[in-house]
């Protein structure tokens, strides 16, 4: 679990005080910031108390985070400094938070990030790392995974060393998220809850977090009685609770299939989950029905025909990537899941997207 968290309006302005005890001499803090903020420095950059050799690196999130991107950032840091950084601080959405966790891990572990895609492969403790979300829903701020697209698959680095050492939750930072992005990322949280609460891995710990996150999602996305400030605060907590629910259980069909989409077509995680989940009435009838109500309530139109022009080879790869995520399928359908799902079943769903 994340050992330290600060929540509240304006909490971001405490960052200097929060990280000061961890600073190791002149060893820098490296800030990895979503490049969407590069042209609005007053919102983030001007509020960061840089000292000594501290560095800000703006990172594009046009594409899903890749193992090669992690390796490039680690090589850049290692070639610039003769000593390990005091810490890595990620400021952005799920992509930046995942990149930050992965970079922190790879600064203390040999090889490529691709070598650690899987469960409990990391041997050495990561450098100190802080997560500051500027969009809520992914649960990346609290999860024990960092999801990356590698040379062979899209899969997380799942380990006890992955979670942040410190998280700063400031609802002011998610104030200006574009509506579609707000919805897609919020639905990532909602889908987490549905998959967790309907899964075979469910336990009382996971259930308590998942139920609370689900209630918050319904309040935010189905009711119209919240002020914007209250909705932002509650979405931030829904994301946290949804991520905690997954930390002690697992996701399911929508995530497995959206990984296939992302690997082949580069579809962003939030919208990819929505595109797939919209067609999964067979597996999550109640959850999909509520999702459709949320979509209609907020006048959201999902992309259609995303798989209209894919080749048979691409379709095979999508299915291969999705089916390789065995814990997700076991959580969704039980230990005998292979009797219910195969490539032909998935191809039919992918062709409908």
């Amino acid at each position: 679990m994340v050992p330290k968290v600060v929540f509240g309006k304006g909490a971001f302005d405490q960052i200097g005080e929060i990280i000061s005890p961890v600073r190791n001499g002149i060893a820098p803090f490296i800030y990895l910031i979503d490049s969407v903020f590069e042209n609005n420095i007053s919102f983030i950059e001007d509020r960061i108390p840089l000292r000594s050799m501290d560095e800000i690196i703006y990172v594009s999130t046009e594409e899903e985070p890749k193992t090669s991107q992690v390796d490039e950032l680690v090589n850049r840091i290692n070639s610039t400094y003769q000593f390990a950084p005091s810490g890595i601080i990620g400021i952005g959405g799920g992509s930046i938070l995942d990149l930050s966790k992965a970079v922190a891990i790879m600064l203390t572990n040999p090889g490529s990030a691709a070598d650690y895609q899987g469960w409990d492969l990391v041997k050495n403790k990561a450098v100190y790392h802080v997560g500051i979300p500027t969009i809520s829903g992914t649960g990346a701020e609290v999860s024990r995974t960092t999801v990356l697209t590698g040379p062979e698959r899209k899969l997380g680095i799942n380990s006890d060393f992955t979670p942040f050492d410190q998280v700063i939750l400031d609802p002011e930072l998610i104030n200006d998220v574009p509506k579609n992005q707000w919805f897609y990322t919020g639905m990532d949280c909602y889908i987490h809850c549905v998959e967790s609460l309907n899964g075979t891995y469910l336990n009382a710990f996971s259930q308590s977090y998942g139920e609370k996150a689900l209630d918050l999602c319904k309040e935010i996305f189905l009711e119209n009685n919240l002020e914007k400030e209250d909705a932002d605060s509650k979405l931030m907590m829904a994301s946290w609770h949804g991520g905690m629910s997954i930390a002690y259980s697992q996701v399911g069909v929508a995530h497995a299939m959206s990984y296939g989409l992302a690997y082949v077509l580069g579809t962003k995680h939030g919208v990819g989950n929505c595109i797939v989940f919209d067609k999964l009435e067979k597996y999550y009838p109640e959850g999909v029905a509520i999702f459709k109500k949320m979509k209609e309530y907020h006048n959201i139109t999902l992309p259609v025909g995303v798989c209209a022009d894919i080749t048979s080879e691409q379709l095979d790869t999508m299915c291969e990537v999705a089916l390789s995520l065995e814990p997700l399928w076991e959580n969704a359908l039980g230990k005998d899941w292979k009797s219910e799902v195969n490539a032909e079943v998935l191809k039919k769903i992918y062709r409908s997207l």
Side-chain angles (χ1 to χ4, degrees):
M1 294 171 68
V2 173
K4 293 185 179 180
V5 58
V6 173
F7 172 85
K9 183 179 177 181
F12 180 59
D13 293 322
Q14 298 178 45
I15 186 169
E17 179 185 351
I18 289 168
I19 65 175
S20 178
V22 188
R23 188 179 289 276
N24 183 19
I26 62 169
F29 281 104
I30 309 295
Y31 293 82
L32 303 181
I33 305 177
D34 191 326
S35 60
V36 73
F37 299 114
E38 197 165 3
N39 296 321
N40 183 14
I41 62 171
S42 62
F43 189 58
I44 297 290
E45 183 176 331
D46 287 351
R47 297 163 66 189
I48 295 174
L50 296 176
R51 282 179 47 191
S52 184
M53 303 173 75
D54 290 357
E55 182 182 3
I56 289 174
I57 300 175
Y58 283 103
V59 182
S60 171
T61 55
E62 281 298 308
E63 296 183 338
E64 291 277 282
K66 294 180 168 61
T67 54
S68 58
Q69 192 178 12
V70 173
D71 294 344
E72 287 168 12
L73 285 166
V74 170
N75 289 336
R76 171 176 172 174
I77 294 167
N78 283 336
S79 63
T80 303
Y81 305 99
Q82 295 179 329
F83 33 76
S86 289
I88 301 295
I89 300 173
I91 306 175
S95 292
I96 293 295
L97 298 181
D98 278 355
L99 275 174
S100 302
K101 289 189 282 189
V103 168
I105 286 170
M106 294 312 301
L107 284 167
T108 57
N109 288 275
S112 165
D115 301 334
Y116 299 92
Q117 285 181 284
W119 281 265
D120 300 307
L121 301 174
V122 180
K123 303 301 181 190
N124 301 319
K125 188 180 188 308
V127 301
Y128 176 81
H129 48 306
V130 180
I132 306 174
T134 60
I135 188 168
S136 285
T138 68
E141 65 274 16
V142 70
S143 71
R144 75 184 295 274
T145 188
T146 161
V147 182
L148 304 169
T149 300
E152 296 179 7
R153 56 194 169 176
K154 179 180 175 182
L155 183 61
I157 299 176
N158 299 269
S159 81
D160 286 342
F161 301 119
T162 305
F164 287 110
D165 297 292
Q166 170 81 56
V167 170
I168 299 173
L169 299 176
D170 185 343
E172 285 186 332
L173 298 184
I174 68 171
N175 194 26
D176 295 323
V177 175
K179 183 175 181 180
N180 271 21
Q181 189 62 48
W182 167 82
F183 183 83
Y184 295 148
T185 310
M187 287 302 99
D188 190 18
C189 177
Y190 172 73
I191 294 166
H192 278 160
C193 298
V194 173
E195 291 180 317
S196 173
L197 291 171
N198 287 279
T200 64
Y201 286 12
L202 188 64
N203 56 64
F205 191 102
S206 177
Q207 184 176 3
S208 63
Y209 281 103
E211 287 176 346
K212 184 59 182 175
L214 187 63
D215 288 344
L216 287 167
C217 284
K218 288 176 180 177
E219 185 179 2
I220 295 160
F221 292 102
L222 279 182
E223 300 173 17
N224 194 23
N225 56 6
L226 290 175
E227 296 292 332
K228 179 71 166 66
E229 189 174 311
D230 288 339
D232 287 342
S233 294
K234 290 192 173 191
L235 182 56
M236 195 157 249
M237 292 320 301
S239 179
W240 182 272
H241 282 74
M244 283 298 295
S245 179
I246 295 308
Y248 286 84
S249 63
Q250 191 50 268
V251 282
V253 180
H255 275 74
M257 294 193 69
S258 75
Y259 278 25
L261 268 187
Y263 184 79
V264 174
L265 300 180
T267 310
K268 288 287 194 73
H269 184 68
V271 67
N273 273 348
C274 288
I275 291 168
V276 174
F277 192 69
D278 198 50
K279 306 292 186 182
L280 297 182
E281 291 97 337
K282 176 181 176 182
Y283 302 102
Y284 308 108
E286 183 183 356
V288 172
I290 293 172
F291 169 75
K292 289 181 184 291
K293 286 182 184 176
M294 292 174 172
K295 191 176 59 167
E296 182 180 353
Y297 187 90
H298 292 282
N299 199 25
I300 299 293
T301 302
L302 295 177
V304 294
V306 295
C307 291
D309 299 319
I310 60 171
T311 66
S312 58
E313 289 80 9
Q314 287 178 309
L315 195 54
D316 287 340
T317 302
M318 279 185 190
C319 295
E320 188 179 329
V321 169
L323 291 169
S324 72
L325 299 164
E326 296 198 6
L328 281 64
W329 292 105
E330 185 174 315
N331 179 53
L333 302 172
K335 291 187 181 298
D336 197 31
W337 64 269
K338 289 181 182 178
S339 66
E340 292 187 52
V341 170
N342 55 39
E344 290 309 309
V345 172
L346 297 195
K347 284 178 183 179
K348 187 175 180 181
I349 299 173
Y350 277 130
R351 288 192 186 103
S352 73
L353 304 182

